[in-house]
Amino acid sequence: MKFHIFIFIVLCGCSTQYNKSSSNELATQKSKYTVEYTTENHIMAWRDSVVETIKGRDFEVIDGIPVYLTRNKRNGDIIGYNFQTTEKVFKVKRSNLPNEAEYGQFNSIYIHNFDSIFIVQDYMIKLIDTSGIIKQQLVINNEADKLYKTHAIGNLNYAPIFFDAKNNKLYIESYCWKCKRHKPSYYKSKIEVAIDLASGKTELLPQTYPILYQENYYGYANHTYREANDSLNVYSFPVDPNIYLYNRLSGNYKTVGGKSKYQKQLANTLSRKQKDDEKTKIEHFSIIPFYYKVHYNPFQNYYYRFFSPGLSQKNEEGLFNKNSDREHILMIFDEQFKLIDEIKLEEKYQVFFTFCTPEGLYVNRVNEKKEKGLYTIFKINIQ
């Protein structure tokens, strides 16, 4: 299982190169709608020792029940709780889960319903039910597989596995495993694959990293974000304001603008010669303008993403800025990806941890005491 790891360090120095190409940036269209909102603080408290387990997908609405997906830190069981009542909805015992020693660690989990749980490991995708019974399994990343000659399947960042029941296909992140991650070839490779469950055939989708990444090097700021709803795969990237859309029903692709008015500078780039300079890459990651994943709110049919403006090396007091000093902007888009509003958040948040319920938008709040389970609920009314 992969977990979120966040690194906070004091900055010393960073590259001052700037990107050579931003000509593909599209204008952000304005929506006719307006936003009103209120906030409410919330604390999550669970009886079991649990951890957030799945990148970008810790929360699902399953058969009308809002389910918070966790994994027990002590015994490895996967547990689903009714988010509103904190009652346990299901538990898959570790002994009933696929063998990690044989097939690799859990990279992504998607619960389509209580009878269909997809688990992605390094070398296997398995479909199980809540009792752990295997209903289907697919070998992946095998040398005999034609796809594996160029691409591996996995969940590297924030593009968790997704199942579309309309076409009976799984969608999962792919990458060029033979390519060096500082080379343009890595960013020109396809970033997602569709797997037909009936035939087992795999299809590389046309989407790659945008030209910005193919022509420049951004070190650790190379996440691949993908959200999915009933018809769209929505791709986004940390240093690119644009949002990339793939309609699974029509097969059409479209690019829309998604730039924040708070972005006042371009993200400076790194030299490809700095590929092994861990300190410089972390410093760069900590202060550049940064876009987070685009999320979909199925309850109110809007999209949202967070943006963090760039930081200078030092603050007004002459102290080096660090990642935890970042401000965050909540951007809200309508169903046509037109920007409705931008909300500057007053408190400190860890915006990687966010999800929607019928009650509102939950964002993980942080404080100096480093208390766990703190969230702010943004109750957003679009008019």
Side-chain angles (χ1 to χ4, degrees):
M1 178 67 64
K2 294 186 177 179
F3 299 94
H4 296 280
I5 298 176
F6 302 99
I7 305 171
F8 304 94
I9 69 169
V10 176
L11 301 181
C12 299
C14 199
S15 166
T16 56
Q17 298 180 359
Y18 290 87
N19 54 26
K20 304 171 188 174
S21 172
S22 58
S23 58
N24 67 331
E25 181 183 300
L26 298 183
T28 303
Q29 300 298 312
K30 302 298 182 182
S31 175
K32 64 181 180 180
Y33 299 109
T34 59
V35 164
E36 294 180 354
Y37 73 97
T38 59
T39 60
E40 178 182 318
N41 289 342
H42 177 80
I43 299 177
M44 285 188 185
W46 310 104
R47 289 183 288 276
D48 294 298
S49 175
V50 300
V51 290
E52 289 153 310
T53 54
I54 296 85
K55 287 184 174 180
R57 198 171 286 280
D58 294 309
F59 183 88
E60 297 285 352
V61 178
I62 307 170
D63 295 342
I65 300 174
V67 176
Y68 187 68
L69 185 62
T70 66
R71 195 173 191 192
N72 189 289
K73 288 189 290 188
R74 293 190 301 267
N75 59 29
D77 294 347
I78 292 178
I79 309 167
Y81 294 93
N82 184 315
F83 184 81
Q84 295 173 322
T85 66
T86 73
E87 295 296 320
K88 192 178 299 183
V89 177
F90 70 86
K91 178 172 72 174
V92 183
K93 292 184 178 181
R94 177 66 190 86
S95 57
N96 291 331
L97 291 170
N99 189 322
E100 288 184 85
E102 184 176 359
Y103 299 112
Q105 66 178 345
F106 294 173
N107 294 327
S108 189
I109 298 177
Y110 175 66
I111 302 180
H112 181 64
N113 55 46
F114 294 124
D115 290 324
S116 301
I117 302 174
F118 294 92
I119 298 178
V120 182
Q121 296 175 261
D122 292 335
Y123 305 105
M124 182 73 72
I125 298 175
K126 291 195 176 183
L127 172 60
I128 66 173
D129 60 20
T130 51
S131 64
I133 295 175
I134 298 174
K135 304 173 70 174
Q136 187 173 353
Q137 61 184 28
L138 298 168
V139 175
I140 59 173
N141 300 332
N142 186 287
E143 291 183 359
D145 186 0
K146 182 179 179 180
L147 175 70
Y148 192 63
K149 296 183 187 303
T150 57
H151 287 73
I153 296 173
N155 177 231
L156 299 181
N157 293 306
Y158 302 96
I161 191 170
F162 174 76
F163 175 63
D164 188 342
K166 294 177 182 177
N167 60 17
N168 200 39
K169 290 182 179 180
L170 285 173
Y171 293 84
I172 184 170
E173 186 175 3
S174 63
Y175 61 98
C176 177
W177 66 274
K178 291 184 177 181
C179 302
K180 303 292 185 181
R181 296 197 187 182
H182 68 287
K183 295 284 190 180
S185 57
Y186 181 83
Y187 300 97
K188 292 178 181 179
S189 64
K190 305 299 189 292
I191 62 172
E192 188 158 40
V193 64
I195 304 176
D196 190 312
L197 287 188
S199 65
K201 292 182 179 180
T202 57
E203 172 195 1
L204 281 170
L205 301 181
Q207 184 68 47
T208 66
Y209 278 86
I211 191 69
L212 203 60
Y213 280 87
Q214 297 176 24
E215 296 186 351
N216 304 282
Y217 180 52
Y218 295 98
Y220 288 133
N222 65 346
H223 306 62
T224 299
Y225 303 129
R226 194 264 290 126
E227 177 65 293
N229 60 19
D230 287 344
S231 61
L232 291 178
N233 286 8
V234 182
Y235 305 99
S236 53
F237 306 87
V239 302
D240 188 352
N242 289 346
I243 300 170
Y244 300 84
L245 311 177
Y246 167 58
N247 189 309
R248 298 189 306 275
L249 302 179
S250 67
N252 294 331
Y253 280 83
K254 181 181 180 181
T255 305
V256 296
K259 185 175 182 178
S260 169
K261 66 182 180 183
Y262 291 93
Q263 182 178 0
K264 305 300 182 182
Q265 64 192 76
L266 298 174
N268 60 310
T269 70
L270 295 170
S271 165
R272 298 188 197 278
K273 295 179 180 179
Q274 295 173 298
K275 62 182 176 61
D276 297 320
D277 189 342
E278 301 299 315
K279 182 183 176 191
T280 295
K281 289 196 295 184
I282 293 172
E283 292 171 357
H284 171 266
F285 180 85
S286 299
I287 65 172
I288 60 170
F290 198 92
Y291 287 91
Y292 297 81
K293 178 177 178 176
V294 175
H295 295 269
Y296 176 63
N297 183 340
F299 306 102
Q300 293 181 273
N301 193 29
Y302 69 79
Y303 298 87
Y304 68 96
R305 79 191 304 187
F306 293 96
F307 170 70
S308 178
L311 295 173
S312 60
Q313 278 194 328
K314 293 183 179 182
N315 60 24
E316 295 179 353
E317 298 176 352
L319 301 175
F320 285 102
N321 279 314
K322 50 189 182 297
N323 195 69
S324 57
D325 294 321
R326 282 187 178 276
E327 294 182 332
H328 292 101
I329 312 300
L330 170 59
M331 305 178 69
I332 302 173
F333 299 84
D334 65 21
E335 69 278 6
Q336 300 297 320
F337 290 92
K338 294 181 179 180
L339 182 62
I340 303 175
D341 204 354
E342 299 187 60
I343 301 170
K344 189 173 183 179
L345 306 188
E346 300 298 329
E347 299 185 68
K348 294 292 184 181
Y349 291 92
Q350 183 48 269
V351 297
F352 278 107
F353 298 118
T354 176
F355 52 86
C356 292
T357 75
E359 191 176 6
L361 165 61
Y362 284 70
V363 187
N364 186 205
R365 192 173 69 256
V366 296
N367 61 15
E368 294 180 356
K369 296 180 181 179
K370 297 181 179 180
E371 296 177 275
K372 295 182 179 181
L374 303 180
Y375 282 80
T376 296
I377 309 171
F378 289 80
K379 299 184 177 182
I380 294 172
N381 181 23
I382 297 176
Q383 299 177 327

